[in-house]
Amino acid sequence: MVDDDVSTGVIVQAMLEDHYDVSVFGDAESCLMGLDQDFPDLFVLDVELPGVDGYELCRRIRALPCSKFSPVIFLSSHDSPSAILAGYEAGAQDYITKPFDHTVLEQKIDNLLRIKSDRELLLDQAESSEQLASIFMTNLGEYAVLIKYLRSLNECSSYDDVVEATLEVLDRYKFSGIIQVRLPEGDKTVSRQGENWPMEVAVVSHVRDQGRIFEFKTRAVFNYDQITILVTNMPVQDSDACGRIRDNLAIVAESANAKIVALQTLRDKNRLLSEAQYILLVLTVLTDKYGKKYKEAHFNSTLHTEYLVNDLQSIFGPLGLGNDQEDQMLEVIRQRSDELVAYYDFGNEFTDVLASLQEKLGSLLPSNVG
């Protein structure tokens, strides 16, 4: 309270001291000096003050940033409309004329302090809401980057595509990093600086065996069987952001590892398919080739048996053998020749085996392969 009337100050202090801490000043200057030490929740000002009057004091109080919600009540003997209007224009919330009703003053002080408390609470809630909204929007942006990355992996058809998509994630998070993929043909270490820089290769080789997630100062490493992601500028000063980003990058690394495994599986499948197609082609050629050779050999064997019989018949004449003897000898020769041909007559069986293998392998291959 600021009032040069000592009795008024004593009365107000006695009235309020059971509920509030009350400080009384006799002039504006002493009040303003006291504000550096303790800023009141509410001001009760007289208009007529030595030196700076109550209106100017109110304006100076209102100019202070910390007075935003501190109410001001004028307690003055001036009761003209112009005096009351000047008080409101100076920034006061209420104007009470002297002599005053103690109960009214106390009620007005209670009401204004309650309003002040409610406004401060609303402001805190608004600030909290803004913070929550800001965090939500930040998280939403980070999740959007992650979702876009997961979608882009579906379109990756090579290891280089996976590496580039992962580098783009680091770019969107504003991170510097190194990515190493481990492929059947060898390791590949990539950053925005280029491929397989000796220093970057050495760094990743040192940390790739440090566990699934390894952190050191501003560096974070995410290790999986087929990939290592090293980030060099994690936001360690912001623990919440750092935790969110760490979780997101772990998902990035795990998803990239799964995609690389899928690409390797697809490549192995295609290689086996190509080899199976080649084997099927060879079997087809062999089946046809040996089928023809068998038929040709069987025909030639029969033909040569007949030639042998004819040659023997021409020889038997000069020998003076009887017909029965000639027939008997020719029958023996035919029988033995047929038995000899039968020993080597496995061509059909061999051809059947090749044809069976061909049919079996063909059934395992896609129907559009031929």
Side-chain angles (χ1 to χ4, degrees), residues 1 15 20 29 35 39 46 48 66 74 97 108 124 137 162 196 207 228 244 260 273 309 319 358:
M1 179 176 183
M15 180 182 65
Y20 304 105
E29 286 78 4
L35 296 181
F39 200 90
D46 188 14
E48 293 293 338
C66 53
F74 275 108
T97 58
K108 287 180 177 291
D124 290 340
M137 293 304 295
V162 175
N196 296 326
V207 300
T228 289
R244 293 195 310 271
I260 292 172
L273 180 61
V309 170
L319 295 177
Q358 178 185 354

Side-chain angles (χ1 to χ4, degrees), residues 201-221:
V201 172
V203 170
V204 175
S205 298
H206 179 69
V207 300
R208 58 186 282 181
D209 298 321
Q210 296 296 322
R212 182 71 75 201
I213 298 177
F214 171 72
E215 295 177 277
F216 176 70
K217 295 184 178 179
T218 61
R219 296 171 178 81
V221 181

Side-chain angles (χ1 to χ4, degrees), residues 159-208:
Y159 303 126
D160 288 339
D161 290 344
V162 175
V163 171
E164 180 59 30
T166 307
L167 285 174
E168 288 181 4
V169 167
L170 299 186
D171 292 342
R172 289 180 176 273
Y173 284 140
K174 302 187 185 306
F175 288 150
S176 299
I178 307 169
I179 298 171
Q180 183 183 87
V181 290
R182 292 176 276 281
L183 310 174
E185 57 269 26
D187 298 346
K188 186 175 184 179
T189 304
V190 183
S191 71
R192 287 305 185 195
Q193 309 303 317
E195 282 189 24
N196 296 326
W197 279 49
M199 180 60 71
E200 293 181 346
V201 172
V203 170
V204 175
S205 298
H206 179 69
V207 300
R208 58 186 282 181

Side-chain angles (χ1 to χ4, degrees), residues 28-29 32 45-47 49 51-63 74 86-87 90-91:
E29 286 78 4
L32 292 172
L45 307 180
D46 188 14
V47 172
L49 295 173
V52 177
D53 65 17
Y55 297 139
E56 178 60 23
L57 174 58
C58 183
R59 283 189 286 270
R60 292 187 185 183
I61 291 173
R62 281 283 167 260
F74 275 108

Side-chain angles (χ1 to χ4, degrees), residues 280 356-367:
L280 179 60
S356 176
L357 289 174
Q358 178 185 354
E359 181 181 359
K360 181 66 175 178
L361 185 57
S363 68
L364 295 176
L365 293 174
S367 58

